[in-house]
Amino acid sequence: MLDDRYSLAFKLYPYERSADQDAAQAVRHPVIVVGGGPIGVATALDLGLQGIPVVVLDDHEGIGQGSRAICFAKRSLEIADRYGAAGPMLDKGVVWNLGKVFHEDRKVFEFNLLPESGHRFPAFINLQQPYFERFLVERLRELQADGAPIEIRGRNSVQSVEFHDDHVRLQIDTPEGPYTLEADWLIGCDGAGSPLRTMMGLDFDGRVFQDSFLIADITMKADFPTERWFWFEPSHKAGASTLLHKQPDGVWRVDFQIGWDVDRKVELKEENVRKRLDAMLGPDVEYELVWTSIYTFQCRRMKKFRHGRVLFAGDSAHQVSPFGARGANSGMQDVDNLGWKLGMVIRGEAPDALLDSYCAERRHGADENILNSTRATDFITPKSKISHIFRNAVLDLAERFEFARPLVNSGRLSVPCVYDGLPLNGPDALTGGPARTRVGSPCPDAPLGDGFLLPRLGKGFTLLTIDVEAAETIEADGVIATRVALRASDDTTGALAERYLGTAASAVYLIRPDQHVAARWESFDAAAVQDALRIACGKG
Amino acid sequence: MTLQTKPNIADADGFYADLIAAHDGLSEDESAAFNARLILILANQIGDRAVLDAALEAAQARR
Ligand SMILES: Cc1cc2nc3c(=O)[nH]c(=O)nc-3n(C[C@H](O)[C@H](O)[C@H](O)COP(=O)(O)OP(=O)(O)OC[C@H]3O[C@@H](n4cnc5c(N)ncnc54)[C@H](O)[C@@H]3O)c2cc1C
């Protein structure tokens, strides 16, 4: 079964015969990733950078065309930066800060994301998903050229899986016929419709939203500002709500909410799409259609992201509404979380149980994302009369009173979750330490002279010390944390002190390879750090 | 702060009359919208989530 389900934007991994197809016995690989979407490729980068051999199988020969993600959050860029892939994303992406909200054509208010200074990356960039994926694959090619043990095989469609105690066996279809592979670990990154999940008969429950959205990506001559415009109940009636957002290459995303009972074929006819666009843009604006599609959505997740030697990441594990841009962005956090854990287990540095924490932590993240995106959806598309009345009351009041503006919810844009209260956390013993860097938090960036803090974290475990003495390395059961010694005065802007010291005079942070805080104290105590290191590796 | 369940409105009769009068001439939909705006304004005045929760609870119909 090798039918195309979509056309390609970039053909980056055409089918090539692999020696594995001619092997007498099924070849065993340490890690196989099913699916070469953004999450599968990012997984390969994470593992490949650790020197762990990984094979990505994708049933197409490149990146799918068309409009899916456009908003990529700071955290995704920071993760991509760890993989060496963020530079081109930042160069190509469009940065926006100003958002405007309209109700029945009146501007209700505008907001500025007012990005906090002292971060290498902006709060968000707008970038077409095919570019985001292409930059990841290009980085993969660079790493391959440097000898990283990563492979990506196009037109390799996984057809069935068989489970054994210590490995998984896969049947794969190719244009030259089927073959078999074995993997110690299998990562399911095969998207929301995950054939792997289906083959395993696993659940994927949640809520279906009865509404459809029509996406039109257009190029315009008109000079619209680089802002995010969101209309509730616009009088042009082209959609019950409408979103206009800028992308690179002079492309605009227009997203119309068009109701549940729609005939897709009819709605997608160019003349009908143009009717909506003309109503919204006015008769004199010239534009060209780049892409149109209709999507509906659901908010749901698997009960468990780990099933023995199979781990699910990205859309295969959880799906959210697009409001808030939490799909690909949360998938990137899955990879960030899974990569180092799987690496340690494969190298024998941590017990198998460390992988259970992947499920616990990322399920917590998925629940937060589902909660936020469900709330935004309920605000944008009220499901009852009273909910509609309250929604419009909020919009009315927001025009006149500042207090109502935080209640306006056209999507709460993705921020990484904090792993509050989860099992890998060590002591939070920094009296006066800021809440934003509490144990479980992703480390916020901070300026350090000409550079930034985050690039100095994330290669293994780090012991970040500020204005305090400590050992240069510390070891617990073969796992090493390496010190990064800073002074508050290394950052003259004061951001480092504000984000990491609060009112404390000094600080010691144990930081995981995914740049989350594992424990923190005011001063260095070797035994305490060793304990926390054990806990963070699932040995607690 | 806890939910105030003792009388607290100065000139209770006057306020009640004004509340009803505010709906004069409004259609049912307009009244519902007015009530919604009023609730949001009052809720913001209270602010305290625990008090708001107690108010949501107290407003439940008695069975
Ligand atoms: C309209 C819309 C707007 C969105 N906007 C945003 C946004 O602004 N920000 C954001 O973060 N997210 C957004 N998303 C979500 C985002 O697109 C997804 O979260 C993201 O694509 C998930 O990546 P993935 O790698 O998990 O899955 P996918 O991108 O679906 O990739 C899965 C891959 O697996 C392959 N595959 C499937 N079956 C097999 C098989 N049997 N064998 C081999 N390969 C297989 C597929 O061909 C595909 O290449 C949006 C989604 C939509 C629909």
Side-chain angles (χ1 to χ4, degrees):
Chain A
M1 205 190 67
L2 285 166
D3 299 338
D4 279 323
R5 281 174 287 112
Y6 47 80
S7 55
L8 297 187
F10 306 113
K11 186 169 174 175
L12 297 183
Y13 34 89
Y15 171 75
E16 275 175 48
R17 192 172 181 85
S18 152
D20 289 358
Q21 288 166 260
D22 301 314
Q25 296 237 309
V27 175
R28 173 86 64 96
H29 292 272
V31 182
I32 292 179
V33 175
V34 187
I39 306 315
V41 174
T43 304
L45 292 178
D46 196 306
L47 296 170
L49 279 164
Q50 298 179 62
I52 292 170
V54 48
V55 178
V56 180
L57 306 173
D58 194 273
D59 59 354
H60 289 66
E61 296 190 294
I63 293 160
Q65 181 134 38
S67 315
R68 298 216 278 158
I70 59 167
C71 283
F72 290 91
K74 185 204 305 268
R75 186 64 199 147
S76 293
L77 296 171
E78 290 168 352
I79 295 165
D81 194 40
R82 230 166 37 79
Y83 306 149
M89 296 172 180
L90 197 56
D91 290 345
K92 182 84 191 172
V94 169
V95 177
W96 60 278
N97 289 316
L98 204 62
K100 290 186 178 151
V101 176
F102 302 85
H103 184 206
E104 296 169 340
D105 303 351
R106 294 188 316 277
K107 188 169 90 181
V108 176
F109 70 102
E110 58 181 60
F111 59 89
N112 193 324
L113 290 180
L114 276 185
E116 189 183 57
S117 61
H119 291 257
R120 160 117 202 259
F121 294 102
F124 270 91
I125 60 167
N126 281 7
L127 180 70
Q128 292 89 329
Q129 182 165 338
Y131 282 121
F132 185 83
E133 295 188 42
R134 190 177 98 186
F135 297 142
L136 291 176
V137 174
E138 284 171 355
R139 178 62 182 145
L140 184 148
R141 296 297 184 209
E142 261 175 41
L143 291 174
Q144 280 177 323
D146 293 345
I150 313 177
E151 249 191 87
I152 180 161
R153 299 185 188 168
R155 271 279 185 267
N156 271 240
S157 175
V158 174
Q159 296 294 305
S160 65
V161 276
E162 207 183 280
F163 302 95
H164 300 271
D165 280 349
D166 63 344
H167 72 278
V168 179
R169 217 174 141 86
L170 304 173
Q171 292 300 326
I172 297 150
D173 227 357
T174 76
E176 297 180 307
Y179 73 112
T180 307
L181 283 180
E182 291 181 354
D184 294 340
W185 298 96
L186 186 67
I187 319 295
C189 301
D190 50 347
S194 176
L196 183 63
R197 199 183 54 223
T198 310
M199 288 173 216
M200 295 175 67
L202 297 171
D203 60 274
F204 198 44
D205 297 329
R207 191 169 150 198
V208 182
F209 289 87
Q210 303 219 323
D211 227 313
S212 344
F213 290 77
L214 183 138
I215 285 184
D217 280 345
I218 60 174
T219 51
M220 279 197 284
K221 302 244 162 51
D223 215 13
F224 263 84
T226 303
E227 298 170 357
R228 177 187 194 264
W229 289 17
F230 196 100
W231 287 265
F232 292 96
E233 305 181 323
S235 68
H236 58 61
K237 300 277 186 234
S241 69
T242 303
L243 172 72
L244 178 72
H245 220 174
K246 177 88 186 279
Q247 305 173 56
D249 302 335
V251 177
W252 295 86
R253 159 78 47 97
V254 189
D255 199 337
F256 298 110
Q257 179 195 347
I258 62 171
W260 182 238
D261 281 321
V262 294
D263 184 331
R264 286 174 172 246
K265 273 221 182 75
V266 173
E267 292 298 341
L268 282 172
K269 276 193 185 149
E270 174 158 353
E271 71 220 54
N272 290 330
V273 175
R274 281 189 174 273
K275 260 189 218 149
R276 289 187 190 274
L277 285 163
D278 292 344
M280 173 189 148
L281 296 169
D284 308 325
V285 177
E286 273 181 63
Y287 58 87
E288 269 167 56
L289 295 175
V290 180
W291 179 266
T292 55
S293 62
I294 289 182
Y295 70 93
T296 55
F297 57 82
Q298 318 201 349
C299 286
R300 51 185 181 170
R301 71 157 167 84
M302 296 178 74
K303 277 202 194 70
K304 288 180 359 192
F305 297 177
R306 175 183 185 191
H307 293 266
R309 296 192 156 257
V310 185
L311 297 129
F312 289 87
D315 276 14
S316 67
H318 44 73
Q319 205 186 356
V320 293
S321 83
F323 308 117
R326 287 163 182 268
N329 285 313
S330 66
M332 288 298 284
Q333 292 162 43
D334 291 349
V335 178
D336 196 31
N337 192 288
L338 178 58
W340 65 273
K341 294 177 179 175
L342 187 58
M344 289 188 83
V345 170
I346 290 175
R347 287 190 300 271
E349 293 168 358
D352 176 89
L354 181 60
L355 292 171
D356 294 334
S357 76
Y358 163 71
C359 179
E361 293 185 335
R362 292 314 304 159
R363 216 162 49 177
H364 176 73
D367 285 344
E368 189 172 296
N369 288 319
I370 289 173
L371 179 71
N372 275 292
S373 97
T374 301
R375 286 174 172 173
T377 309
D378 285 340
F379 191 88
I380 294 166
T381 65
K383 294 299 176 298
S384 67
K385 187 168 175 197
I386 190 70
S387 145
H388 192 196
I389 288 171
F390 268 105
R391 198 280 302 276
N392 286 358
V394 166
L395 292 171
D396 278 350
L397 292 169
E399 206 177 326
R400 286 186 290 152
F401 305 112
E402 212 181 314
F403 89 79
R405 292 175 193 166
L407 295 170
V408 175
N409 189 348
S410 63
R412 301 280 181 236
L413 295 173
S414 168
V415 286
C417 78
V418 178
Y419 300 132
D420 279 321
L422 293 177
L424 298 191
N425 292 354
D428 196 342
L430 179 65
T431 310
R436 67 189 289 184
T437 39
R438 67 186 182 275
V439 172
S441 311
C443 287
D445 208 354
L448 288 179
D450 294 338
F452 286 92
L453 174 65
L454 287 189
R456 302 191 52 186
L457 312 175
K459 292 176 194 79
F461 278 91
T462 307
L463 194 67
L464 173 69
T465 62
I466 303 175
D467 291 331
V468 67
E469 280 315 311
E472 288 309 308
T473 58
I474 187 140
E475 194 219 292
D477 306 339
V479 180
I480 292 172
T482 310
R483 182 180 181 203
V484 169
L486 298 179
R487 277 186 249 266
S489 59
D490 290 342
D491 169 28
T492 49
T493 71
L496 179 69
E498 187 196 314
R499 292 168 201 172
Y500 286 87
L501 286 178
T503 58
S506 64
V508 174
Y509 281 80
L510 179 65
I511 295 164
R512 314 189 324 189
D514 58 7
Q515 300 173 333
H516 277 253
V517 177
R520 63 176 182 176
W521 307 264
E522 185 147 6
S523 57
F524 174 72
D525 171 347
V529 176
Q530 284 170 323
D531 273 349
L533 196 50
R534 280 190 202 100
I535 293 172
C537 295
K539 302 168 188 166
Chain B
M1 220 165 55
T2 50
L3 183 69
Q4 176 61 272
T5 54
K6 299 273 186 300
N8 193 36
I9 301 174
D11 180 23
D13 288 349
F15 166 72
Y16 188 80
D18 288 348
L19 178 63
I20 303 303
H23 289 267
D24 277 352
L26 299 188
S27 69
E28 259 181 49
D29 282 353
E30 287 164 348
S31 267
F34 177 93
N35 281 341
R37 288 193 297 271
L38 184 64
I39 288 169
L40 292 166
I41 290 166
L42 297 176
N44 183 64
Q45 182 69 34
I46 292 167
D48 188 324
R49 268 305 304 270
V51 178
L52 291 171
D53 285 353
L56 284 172
E57 179 76 35
Q60 298 284 330
R62 271 212 277 160
R63 277 171 221 275

